[in-house]
């Protein structure tokens, strides 16, 4: 399908940026919100993104104003009878999203594809309130949209292959890297990233190292920023929400570190509230030590060791579990982590990295950590199977990939 006109529902953080990305590809887009002020702010965001591109000399002034004019605001569904594609980005609430999908189904022509930017909710459940579940799909963008290339493309139970290929093509037209992901909690990026971040939080509360030491170590590994800087940027409250969803789906291996919940309780949400794991007002932080002391007393777990592998092994293992479950291909799992989290490109992604370390080493390290720190490190069955068959990674010329 050649998308000639698109709509975005919800002019908040994501909606405005998605509308900007669509306009940049030359497609006229209507940015709709129920709050007049948010429509205004959304259009302002679009204008600012273009302005910054002009300032950085990435774009000519005339081109920027032409593209800015492609985005128009709306407070109702008038004009949605002409849409080829609509992307929903309202609050992360199923009832609200279902209301939107049912309204869109009534006003949009039969050809229109209805996509959702949900981070965690069931796409199939949204599709079920429409009469076009074949044309309903997940299209998960990452924040900030102008910088993040990844789009997780998530078919629901009924989504047709045609809709998938149309959305993949549309994402590519926006200059994105679309990756096809099976519908399931956390999709790929959040599912692999959260255990890594959570393990850093556990290491912190157990006194293994300071946030700064761990951030530095992961940057030395090649991550664009350390886990605590990232947690503060995402928002500890959002990270807690994602963790709870993952725990609900996968059980104890995704148990949330107490320190994250304690920080949320102390209203330390991260950068946006001026305080998270770090303080951003330049003052000395005396409260964090108190929070950590209290947790150590309650759990009795203290004095564990930190090594970058402690965090990375969980990401690798979850990637192996995803591969086992058919959530995505090995290549796409790696590409998702490189484009969606900045996993160092030269290491290729968690599965390529596992091949470099050696799958036998990954397996035995997971077993060692499992005995020491608990069953969240229990190796994915696929690892044992591969090692048993001589798939050891780079050194045996076959592992998750062949060499
Ligand atoms: N913020 C992120 O980093 C991020 C990243 C990926 C995905 N997401 C997902 O994107 C979606 C939007 O998140 P956000 O952070 O942009 O939210 P937000 O709170 O910034 O914006 C939501 C907007 O939707 C509007 N809205 C609510 N109900 C509406 C309705 N019925 N019709 C039209 N507009 C309505 C609100 O007025 C608000 O402007 C969520 O599903 C979220 O999970 C967010």
């Amino acid at each position: 399908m050649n998308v000639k006109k698109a709509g975005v529902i919800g002019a908040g953080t994501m909606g405005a940026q998605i509308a900007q990305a669509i306009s940049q590809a030359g497609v006229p887009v209507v940015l709709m919100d129920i709050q007049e002020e948010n429509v205004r702010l959304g259009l302002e965001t679009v204008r600012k993104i273009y302005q910054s591109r002009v300032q950085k000399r990435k774009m000519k002034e005339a081109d920027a104003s032409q593209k800015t004019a492609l985005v128009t605001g709306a407070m109702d569904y008038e004009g949605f009878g002409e849409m080829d594609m609509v992307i929903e980005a309202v609050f992360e609430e199923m009832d609200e999203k279902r209301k939107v999908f049912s309204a869109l189904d009534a006003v949009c022509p039969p050809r229109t594809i209805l996509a959702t930017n949900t981070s965690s909710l069931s796409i199939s459940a949204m599709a079920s309130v429409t009469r076009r579940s074949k044309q309903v799909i997940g299209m998960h963008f990452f924040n900030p949209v102008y910088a993040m290339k990844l789009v997780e493309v998530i078919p629901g139970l009924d989504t047709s292959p045609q809709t998938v290929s149309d959305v993949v093509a549309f994402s590519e037209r926006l200059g994105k890297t679309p990756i096809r992901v099976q519908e399931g909690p956390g999709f790929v990026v959040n599912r692999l990233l959260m255990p890594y971040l959570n393990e850093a939080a556990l290491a912190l509360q157990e006194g293994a190292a300071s946030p700064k030491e761990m951030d530095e170590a992961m940057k030395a590994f090649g991550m664009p920023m350390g886990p605590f800087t990232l947690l503060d940027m995402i928002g500890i409250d959002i990270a807690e929400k994602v963790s709870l969803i993952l725990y609900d789906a996968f059980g104890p291996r995704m148990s949330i570190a107490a320190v994250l919940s304690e920080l949320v309780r102390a209203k330390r949400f991260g950068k946006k509230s001026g305080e998270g794991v770090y303080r951003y007002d330049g003052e000395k932080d005396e409260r964090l030590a108190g929070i950590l002391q209290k947790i150590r007393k309650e759990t009795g777990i203290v004095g564990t060791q930190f090594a970058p592998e402690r965090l990375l092994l969980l990401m690798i293992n979850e990637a192996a579990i995803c591969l086992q479950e058919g959530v995505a291909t090995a290549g796409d799992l790696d590409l998702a982590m490189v484009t969606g989290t900045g996993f160092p490109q030269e290491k290729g992604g968690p599965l390529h990295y596992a091949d470099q370390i050696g799958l036998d080493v990954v397996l035995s390290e997971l077993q060692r950590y499992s005995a020491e720190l608990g069953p969240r490190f229990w190796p994915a069955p696929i690892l044992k199977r591969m090692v048993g068959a001589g798939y050891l990674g780079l050194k045996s010329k076959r592992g998750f990939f062949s060499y």
Side-chain angles (χ1 to χ4, degrees), residues 282-300:
E283 297 294 316
K284 204 166 164 347
D285 190 356
E286 272 141 16
R287 277 204 303 160
L288 181 64
I291 292 174
L292 296 176
Q293 275 307 331
K294 179 177 160 257
I295 295 170
R296 279 169 209 158
K297 234 182 176 169
E298 280 166 10
T299 61

Side-chain angles (χ1 to χ4, degrees), residues 9-15 32-35 38 77 88-93 96-97 99-100 116-120 140-143:
I9 312 298
T13 310
M14 294 305 285
M32 187 272 189
D33 203 291
I34 40 173
Q35 302 276 347
N38 293 358
Y77 293 108
E88 168 280 313
V90 306
F91 303 133
E92 189 72 344
E93 280 166 22
E96 199 62 37
K97 289 187 187 278
K99 255 194 261 164
V100 170
T116 169
N117 186 45
T118 184
S119 307
S120 61
H140 188 217
F141 289 84
F142 288 76
N143 190 17

Side-chain angles (χ1 to χ4, degrees), residues 333-387:
L333 286 163
D334 269 6
L335 191 54
M337 296 315 278
V338 170
T339 51
T341 70
F343 192 100
Q345 191 154 20
E346 70 278 7
K347 293 192 169 76
L351 295 177
H352 272 102
Y353 180 59
D355 274 356
Q356 285 155 35
I357 309 175
L359 298 192
D360 49 342
V361 177
V362 169
L363 176 63
S364 67
E365 281 294 280
L366 280 166
Q367 284 165 333
R368 183 173 72 80
Y369 271 107
S370 183
E372 255 174 48
L373 297 181
R376 62 184 181 279
F377 286 91
W378 202 268
I382 195 175
L383 278 168
K384 266 194 191 156
R385 197 168 149 226
M386 290 175 80
V387 171

Side-chain angles (χ1 to χ4, degrees), residues 25 41 51 109 139-140 142 175 204 259 286 303 348 353 397:
L41 290 172
Q51 215 172 27
M139 213 177 162
H140 188 217
F142 288 76
L204 170 65
V259 65
E286 272 141 16
Y353 180 59
K397 297 202 162 39

Side-chain angles (χ1 to χ4, degrees), residues 160-267:
S160 70
Q162 184 61 50
T163 301
V164 176
S165 64
D166 284 345
V167 166
V168 164
F170 183 62
S171 306
E172 281 167 350
R173 197 170 154 202
L174 304 188
K176 300 293 174 199
T177 305
I179 280 166
R180 201 196 141 125
V181 176
Q182 192 176 286
E183 181 174 20
F187 307 134
V188 165
V189 169
N190 286 336
R191 179 170 170 183
L192 267 59
L193 186 62
M194 213 44 234
Y196 161 96
L197 295 176
N198 195 56
E199 194 59 29
L202 284 171
L204 170 65
Q205 73 185 46
E206 293 164 4
S210 72
K212 199 154 179 273
E213 285 165 341
M214 290 189 261
D215 271 1
E216 288 305 321
M218 297 323 295
K219 268 168 64 181
F221 172 78
M223 291 297 200
M225 66 180 82
F228 297 103
T229 308
L230 183 57
L231 273 166
D232 276 356
M233 202 181 93
I234 297 171
I236 315 265
D237 52 333
I238 304 281
E240 186 192 38
K241 255 191 184 170
V242 175
S243 283
L244 292 174
I245 288 166
L246 292 173
Y247 174 78
D248 185 51
F250 302 115
R253 79 169 187 271
M254 298 280 187
S255 289
I256 185 169
V259 65
L260 296 180
S261 304
E262 287 296 329
L263 286 169
V264 173
R265 208 164 301 155
K267 301 210 168 358

